[in-house]
Amino acid sequence: MEFLGDVLGDAFRYVFEFGPELREILTLTLIVAGLATVIGVLVGVPFGVWLGLSRFRGRGLVLALVNTGMGIPPVLAGLLLLILLWNDGVLGSWEGLFTPEAMIGAQALLAFPIAAGVTAGAVRNLSGDAVEQ
């Protein structure tokens, strides 16, 4: 029980001192989350507009995939990226495992279907006059 008390004491001290290590962690977290959101929106919104306005064969399947992607658990996305980026994986030669770039890619992968699905639903429900504008 003494060990747990020591660990919790260290954790509280680490957080409330707000030292340079914590600032570095928070800065990296904000940069990764911000870039991933921007990338997901920049790719997802145009795709969602295209998906909401166009009519083509297989559109229902694409919409189903986007809607399914909106519910992907983050753990599953991380596991898939881990398998791809592992040394023996398909993208293992990139040596990107556990890097900020991989974190940005994983989070952008999670943000893309949300941006695309919400945009497609909003555009699909527009009236004809609004679409022209």
Side-chain angles (χ1 to χ4, degrees), residues 67-101:
N67 289 332
T68 302
M70 291 172 70
I72 288 179
V75 172
L76 178 61
L79 182 61
L80 292 175
L81 226 63
L82 178 68
I83 291 170
L84 288 174
L85 292 174
W86 201 261
N87 292 337
D88 298 333
V90 176
L91 305 175
S93 62
W94 290 6
E95 297 178 359
L97 193 60
F98 304 120
T99 62
E101 292 81 12

Side-chain angles (χ1 to χ4, degrees), residues 55-62:
R55 303 288 178 252
F56 58 91
R57 183 180 229 165
R59 180 175 175 269
L61 176 64
V62 175

Side-chain angles (χ1 to χ4, degrees), residues 12-50:
F12 281 115
R13 196 169 27 266
Y14 185 72
V15 169
F16 290 116
E17 284 179 1
F18 201 74
E21 291 174 342
L22 185 58
R23 264 194 296 279
E24 184 180 336
I25 291 167
L26 289 175
T27 302
L28 180 62
T29 299
L30 291 173
I31 289 171
V32 166
L35 283 174
T37 302
V38 167
I39 291 169
V41 167
L42 286 177
V43 176
V45 169
F47 184 78
V49 169
W50 172 77

